[in-house]
Amino acid sequence: MAQRMTRRGPLTREEIVRQALVVAETEGMEKLSLHKVAAAVGVRTMSLYNHVEDKADVLDAMADVILSGIRIPEADEMSWEDGLRALAHSFRAAALEYPRSASLVLTRRLNAPAAMPVVEAALRFLNRAGLEGADAVHVLRAFIAFLIGTLSREVGFAPTYAGAIPGVIAMREQELVDSGLSAVATAAAELAVIDHEAELEFGLELLLDAVRRRAAAHS
């Protein structure tokens, strides 16, 4: 079927990327195609190539839009602990602004230019905590890995026990115990529910405690 032309006025790269985000958030990343984006902006698919290289280019640009929503705290206006907390919460807020597109940031574009201000701020906070060089980089990567794992679970493309357990484990606790899974049976009620914000806070405080101990050992 031929595409209907409804376009009036010049097309821009920014509009293409914006409409790609709309399509992804409405229909899901798995259904995003350049054909659908072209239809959304009212041009033929080939016309998109005057502004973008290919679908990968569009996906990278979408990730940059999400990353640009991360609010960078002023490193000199708060403690390093509060700074890292603020970065973590801002990262989460930016990802949840586009929950069906967040996978682009969490799995593909953490080396993007738009991510570099976030990396800069995190390293500055870690430097103020007393970590430099390789130690700061190792902690930064652990910090990023924690955020990716936590947010991947929250936006729904990572495995999670929550939601699946009540109808299964609650009725089979004794079977679990008999199978040698007594710890799972004991924790079944807690495994069955999840508060994503509380999980972020808990893991973040563990990381901050580890940074304090690491910095104290170096000093």
Side-chain angles (χ1 to χ4, degrees):
M1 179 182 295
Q3 286 181 312
R4 275 177 59 180
M5 301 295 294
T6 60
R7 182 77 196 174
R8 295 292 183 273
L11 180 63
T12 65
R13 177 182 175 87
E14 290 72 22
E15 184 180 359
I16 293 170
V17 175
R18 184 172 64 251
Q19 287 299 325
L21 283 165
V22 170
V23 172
E25 291 302 307
T26 302
E27 302 185 34
M29 280 297 303
E30 69 280 0
K31 294 185 178 180
L32 177 65
S33 68
L34 292 185
H35 178 82
K36 288 188 176 182
V37 175
V41 298
V43 300
R44 298 184 186 280
T45 302
M46 290 303 297
S47 297
L48 299 182
Y49 293 102
N50 293 321
H51 306 277
V52 299
E53 295 180 8
D54 50 25
K55 183 177 178 180
D57 186 28
V58 174
L59 295 177
D60 285 345
M62 291 165 65
D64 286 341
V65 169
I66 299 171
L67 285 166
S68 68
I70 300 175
R71 182 177 177 275
I72 308 297
E74 289 293 335
D76 298 328
E77 294 183 359
M78 58 182 66
S79 68
W80 68 265
E81 293 101 329
D82 286 344
L84 290 176
R85 290 187 187 100
L87 270 180
H89 285 287
S90 185
F91 191 98
R92 176 175 182 257
L96 295 184
E97 186 74 17
Y98 300 95
R100 302 183 80 175
S101 306
S103 61
L104 296 173
V105 171
L106 302 179
T107 63
R108 158 189 191 102
R109 284 286 284 175
L110 285 172
N111 64 339
M116 291 302 101
V118 182
V119 173
E120 168 71 14
L123 288 173
R124 289 180 65 188
F125 286 128
L126 291 170
N127 292 162
R128 288 178 57 193
L131 297 179
E132 303 279 349
D135 276 333
V137 171
H138 290 324
V139 172
L140 170 67
R141 288 172 177 158
F143 186 72
I144 291 172
F146 162 70
L147 288 176
I148 289 174
T150 301
L151 290 170
S152 294
R153 178 177 57 203
E154 183 167 6
V155 298
F157 61 93
T160 177
Y161 290 111
I165 288 179
V168 179
I169 293 182
M171 297 184 297
R172 299 177 57 196
E173 288 186 6
Q174 190 57 51
E175 181 180 340
L176 289 167
V177 172
D178 293 342
S179 300
L181 301 176
S182 58
V184 175
T186 300
E190 287 73 26
L191 287 169
V193 296
I194 186 168
D195 180 331
H196 293 293
E197 187 168 1
E199 293 293 320
L200 178 69
E201 292 283 0
F202 187 87
L204 184 56
E205 292 307 314
L206 285 180
L207 279 174
L208 295 179
D209 284 343
V211 171
R212 292 186 193 98
R213 290 194 298 271
R214 188 80 177 183
H218 279 265
S219 63

